[in-house]
Amino acid sequence: MRPAREYLYNLVTGKIRGPIAVFLRVFLFLLSLIYGLVVIILVAFYRRKPVRLGAKVISIGNITLGGTGKTTFVEYLSRLLSSQGKKVAVLSRGYHRNTSKQGVQSLGDEPAMLQKKLTGVAVIVNKNRIKGASKAIKDYAAQILILDDGFQQWRIFKDLEIVTIDAADPFGNRRLLPAGFLREPLSALRRADIFVLTQVNLVKDTVELRDKLKCLNPQALIIETIHQPDGFTGVSEPDELLSVDGLRGKNVLIFSGIGNPQGFENSIAGLGINIAKSFRFSDHHDYAQADIDGVIQEARRLNLDTIITTHKDAIKISELKIQGAGILALNIKLGITKNEAEFSRRLLKLYSL
């Protein structure tokens, strides 16, 4: 995590104390009030006459900053719809992409990962989702458009609005940016058709969260999901799948540059693997060779012959020099544990509209 970003995170979460911190939090709170007012005005303006894209539109987004398992659900839904014979396209903004470069950086890490993992699904990267939709329909005859990170795409008409929520930390400190992590007021959740609670296996229960969501939006369907480890692949040899049991009891070094590094660390530890050291880079971190060299050197210093990262990070470092470093990527698959049948019925209803 970059120093400025880390300081801001520690400030808004109350980890930094003292009179200066109190003053800064008050200042950020005042800014959040202005931000909230602007958001309310923009939502009201854009939603007066939303743009129809010419195909069925499913939005998958979140109301907070950070990782909520959104991309994993985009992958799950894309596979599901594609397996049912639908022509699917994912529309992504390509956050943190660098159009002046080639390969992964030209797309952005998440679209690059989706493009690599999803066969038969078009992944269209364009900051303007309306233009991206036109390309998907014209060039790929897409029948269903999945808006990746689409909850704040207020201009676009959506046939189905899905919001992913991290069951372990659903709303942060419940304050709007920049005083907290909310992109919109919690009242915006009334727009959702489906709530996807992610990583429910990491919490004792979801009763309180479900009750809160039902109060905000009684009509929305609530489904629960878990992220299941599905083996490891070598970053240098991505076609070779290794069993999750092969590393049980082993000491490893791990690193990640994602919105929820704690979830990744919990997944590794839950497999019975001993984490000797963990490096946390900022979300969407652009890895340089020096970063990976530092990770590899630390592993060697600790006499560790295995390094583990996320699939998203593996895509980003695949163009760097990592031969012989023993870096593995943890594959994750999503499973619906509650209300899967009702979710399928909602999708079936969408097809018939």
Side-chain angles (χ1 to χ4, degrees):
M1 192 178 287
R2 294 184 177 92
R5 188 172 180 177
E6 184 176 7
Y7 179 83
L8 182 60
Y9 175 83
N10 291 333
L11 180 67
V12 300
T13 54
K15 294 181 180 179
I16 298 176
R17 301 182 181 276
I20 295 178
V22 171
F23 171 79
L24 289 174
R25 277 194 285 272
V26 170
F27 177 67
L28 291 176
F29 176 70
L30 294 176
L31 289 180
S32 73
L33 295 179
I34 298 172
Y35 169 83
L37 179 61
V38 171
V39 166
I40 291 171
I41 293 171
L42 288 175
V43 172
F45 176 77
Y46 284 124
R47 282 175 55 81
R48 286 188 310 162
K49 194 175 181 181
V51 177
R52 291 181 179 268
L53 299 183
K56 299 296 184 185
V57 176
I58 302 176
S59 167
I60 301 176
N62 50 20
I63 198 169
T64 59
L65 294 177
T68 60
K70 171 178 56 61
T71 304
T72 306
F73 195 78
V74 169
E75 179 188 347
Y76 169 84
L77 186 58
S78 299
R79 289 186 190 278
L80 177 63
L81 295 171
S82 182
S83 70
Q84 295 175 352
K86 307 299 179 183
K87 292 185 178 180
V88 181
V90 175
L91 305 183
S92 175
R93 178 191 175 196
Y95 181 76
H96 218 63
R97 66 188 296 218
N98 189 336
T99 54
S100 65
K101 296 186 177 182
Q102 301 295 319
V104 172
Q105 291 186 339
S106 68
L107 294 175
D109 49 11
E110 290 170 355
M113 181 185 71
L114 290 171
Q115 188 177 73
K116 190 176 182 70
K117 296 178 76 172
L118 295 173
T119 57
V121 174
V123 179
I124 310 296
V125 180
N126 194 318
K127 188 175 181 180
N128 187 321
R129 308 296 179 89
I130 297 174
K131 290 182 178 179
S134 297
K135 179 177 177 63
I137 295 170
K138 180 181 178 181
D139 296 352
Y140 300 97
Q143 300 168 301
I144 298 179
L145 305 173
I146 296 179
L147 288 181
D148 182 11
D149 198 14
F151 193 53
Q152 283 73 44
Q153 291 294 316
W154 308 306
R155 295 177 60 196
I156 297 174
F157 176 84
K158 302 153 188 178
D159 296 280
L160 200 62
E161 186 88 79
I162 300 174
V163 177
T164 58
I165 297 174
D166 180 3
D169 186 20
F171 311 122
N173 59 4
R174 300 191 177 220
R175 291 183 178 176
L176 288 166
L177 293 168
F181 306 100
L182 290 175
R183 297 178 173 188
E184 296 186 60
L186 287 178
S187 58
L189 292 176
R190 296 187 183 119
R191 301 199 309 266
D193 298 304
I194 297 174
F195 294 120
V196 178
L197 307 188
T198 61
Q199 303 195 86
V200 297
N201 54 310
L202 301 182
V203 297
K204 183 179 179 180
D205 62 61
T206 60
V207 174
E208 184 178 348
L209 176 56
R210 291 172 67 92
D211 288 345
K212 172 68 175 177
L213 294 174
K214 286 178 181 177
C215 287
L216 284 168
N217 188 341
Q219 303 304 316
L221 172 68
I222 302 175
I223 68 174
E224 298 188 2
T225 68
I226 58 174
H227 289 176
Q228 301 168 307
D230 190 34
F232 297 94
T233 52
V235 175
S236 301
E237 300 173 340
D239 295 329
E240 182 180 350
L241 183 66
L242 305 176
S243 168
V244 294
D245 296 325
L247 298 179
R248 198 177 302 278
K250 191 177 181 66
N251 295 323
V252 303
L253 181 147
I254 70 174
F255 71 93
S256 62
I258 56 177
N260 183 15
Q262 188 63 55
F264 170 58
E265 292 168 6
N266 290 341
S267 294
I268 296 296
L271 295 173
I273 300 171
N274 303 318
I275 301 173
K277 183 150 189 178
S278 175
F279 284 91
R280 292 183 176 185
F281 295 93
S282 61
D283 193 15
H284 300 286
H285 180 68
D286 287 328
Y287 289 97
Q289 188 64 52
D291 295 324
I292 299 306
D293 289 344
V295 168
I296 294 171
Q297 288 171 10
E298 182 65 10
R300 289 172 178 167
R301 186 185 72 80
L302 296 173
N303 199 29
L304 304 172
D305 58 10
T306 302
I307 302 171
I308 302 175
T309 190
T310 71
H311 205 286
K312 185 173 82 169
D313 291 300
I315 295 290
K316 297 192 73 172
I317 67 171
S318 61
E319 298 169 350
L320 301 176
K321 296 178 181 177
I322 55 174
Q323 293 291 339
I327 302 180
L328 302 176
L330 174 65
N331 296 324
I332 293 290
K333 66 178 181 180
L334 181 139
I336 298 179
T337 60
K338 184 172 288 188
N339 286 336
E340 183 175 12
E342 179 59 27
F343 177 65
S344 297
R345 281 194 288 271
R346 291 285 181 106
L347 290 180
L348 183 62
K349 182 180 178 181
L350 175 67
Y351 305 155
S352 61
L353 292 176

